[in-house]
Amino acid sequence: MTDLKKDLYDVTIMGSGPAGLTAAIYTARANLEPVVFEGSQPGGQLTITTDVENFPGFSDGIMGPDLMNEMREQALRFGAEAHMASIAKVDLSERPFTVTLEDGTEYKTKTFVIASGARARLLGLDSESRLMGRGVSTCATCDGFFFRDQELAIVGGGDSAMEEAVFLTKFASKVTVIHRREELRASQIMQDRAFNNDKIEFLWNREVVEVLGNEDDGVTGLKLMNNETEDVEDFDVDGLFIAIGHIPNTEIFKGKLKMNDHGYIMTEPDSSRTSVPGVFAVGDVQDWTYRQAITAAGSGCKGAIDAERYLEEAHDIEKHRTEEWD
């Protein structure tokens, strides 16, 4: 069983990426003594990222795990409580909310900040996982800069794939779009942008069956299968970008919070407030547009301030135990 310090918390934060840890820093500095559950991947997606060069404040860049460790230590220094545990379910039907961890530990919380993030859809290959961050990437905006004058491949056929392919041409000498069908599902305007770009080529009816390379040299090529003939061919490339969508980590909130058709939690405009008062969503769990560490951190700040104001409106920071919470 998880050894919690309290039976009732002011703030619970689910997730320990940039959004969750920023929310922890702000709520801890507000003397709200938040509890953070780090989940199965403490630090979020940045822990599988090598160099982070677009997070303000680090002129020489910083390793993804190092950045997340610094944010975690900052939150702990101000009084946040953190556990390497996962939340199994949350009862949002009455306040205070009841939280149950995977090991069966149960406690109550007055506010709940969801920062569980989203995970990129992957191809499911062992070689893909092994070379993630070493030539395989799920974020062109994050990693395109590292592939200047190199030949890249991108898997996908939707708007995001075309947008990332066009973006990668700012750095790469050539970008090859690999698609398992013989036509794209992207909008016409995005297709036109890709087709009209001299640096972009297309391979139709192809599927990546193996990523070639090693941890020292990175990606050196791909094995592609023609899904019409089942022939397998080697394809030389310096990097592989996966752009087949993201899956928000919101499964335990289905039927409890308002979501869009893709499972992202809906929040009020210019706010982290969800459809349930006292519950706030921050970071990639509610952001299907930007998905950057810095925007996630910014929304974590908003979630912390929204949670603090919610408690203030309940006169709970001063009184701590009001009739509403008893």
Side-chain angles (χ1 to χ4, degrees):
M1 304 292 281
T2 303
D3 185 19
L4 300 179
K5 294 181 180 179
K6 300 180 181 181
D7 295 322
L8 174 65
Y9 286 87
D10 286 326
V11 181
T12 290
I13 299 170
M14 179 182 181
S16 56
L21 291 179
T22 301
I25 291 167
Y26 272 76
T27 51
R29 291 187 74 251
N31 294 322
L32 295 177
E33 299 179 336
V35 60
V36 181
F37 293 99
E38 299 177 297
S40 58
Q41 188 179 359
Q45 295 185 69
L46 280 185
T47 58
I48 61 173
T49 301
T50 51
D51 295 317
V52 178
E53 293 193 334
N54 57 3
F55 199 93
F58 301 93
S59 59
D60 294 325
I62 185 172
M63 298 292 284
D66 292 341
L67 174 61
M68 298 321 302
N69 186 62
E70 286 291 326
M71 294 180 72
R72 183 180 189 274
E73 290 300 315
Q74 189 175 2
L76 295 178
R77 182 166 70 88
F78 289 121
E81 177 184 344
H83 296 277
M84 288 185 62
S86 297
I87 294 174
K89 61 181 179 180
V90 184
D91 182 358
L92 304 178
S93 62
E94 60 180 10
R95 293 187 290 273
F97 308 122
T98 301
V99 181
T100 305
L101 306 183
E102 284 190 345
D103 65 6
T105 302
E106 188 175 286
Y107 73 97
K108 294 185 182 297
T109 187
K110 301 169 187 175
T111 62
F112 195 87
V113 179
I114 305 168
S116 49
R119 58 194 185 276
R121 293 184 187 273
L122 298 176
L123 303 174
L125 305 173
D126 290 340
S127 54
E128 170 192 41
S129 299
R130 177 170 50 84
L131 293 170
M132 184 64 66
R134 295 174 172 83
V136 177
S137 173
T138 59
C139 180
T141 308
C142 309
D143 299 328
F145 176 83
F146 300 112
F147 294 90
R148 190 174 295 277
D149 299 323
Q150 298 185 50
E151 295 189 4
L152 303 176
I154 185 165
V155 177
D159 279 357
S160 293
M162 296 307 102
E163 183 176 359
E164 296 211 340
V166 172
F167 177 82
L168 288 172
T169 61
K170 296 180 179 180
F171 309 102
S173 59
K174 183 175 79 169
V175 176
T176 300
V177 175
I178 299 170
H179 191 43
R180 61 182 179 176
R181 300 185 179 90
E182 53 186 27
E183 61 181 20
L184 302 172
R185 64 180 184 278
S187 60
Q188 192 60 53
I189 188 171
M190 293 307 300
Q191 290 191 43
D192 291 343
R193 289 176 184 173
F195 287 138
N196 292 331
N197 192 306
D198 293 337
K199 284 189 175 183
I200 297 178
E201 297 182 1
F202 293 83
L203 279 177
W204 307 105
N205 299 308
R206 301 293 200 283
E207 297 180 30
V208 178
V209 295
E210 186 178 355
V211 184
L212 305 176
N214 55 65
E215 295 183 4
D216 292 329
D217 299 327
V219 171
T220 58
L222 308 170
K223 282 191 177 295
L224 303 179
M225 182 187 71
N226 185 316
N227 55 31
E228 291 187 321
T229 65
E230 296 189 352
D231 291 337
V232 176
E233 59 187 326
D234 286 349
F235 183 71
D236 292 336
V237 72
D238 301 306
L240 173 66
F241 286 78
I242 313 297
I244 54 178
H246 287 75
I247 306 170
N249 299 316
T250 58
E251 288 83 359
I252 69 171
F253 302 106
K254 289 182 178 177
K256 300 177 181 180
L257 295 172
K258 184 178 180 181
M259 302 180 186
N260 68 9
D261 293 339
H262 300 288
Y264 288 90
I265 296 174
M266 302 298 291
T267 55
E268 295 180 14
D270 300 319
S271 167
S272 67
R273 293 188 295 270
T274 70
S275 55
V276 173
V279 179
F280 309 91
V282 299
D284 289 6
V285 80
Q286 55 83 48
D287 172 21
W288 56 91
T289 302
Y290 300 104
R291 294 196 295 264
Q292 298 297 302
I294 189 63
T295 53
S299 71
C301 168
K302 290 167 61 176
I305 293 173
D306 287 341
E308 181 182 1
R309 289 175 177 171
Y310 176 84
L311 291 169
E312 286 176 344
E313 290 169 2
H315 304 291
D316 195 58
I317 289 179
E318 293 80 12
K319 296 183 180 180
H320 286 281
R321 300 281 296 189
T322 64
E323 293 182 2
E324 179 179 352
W325 306 108
D326 289 336

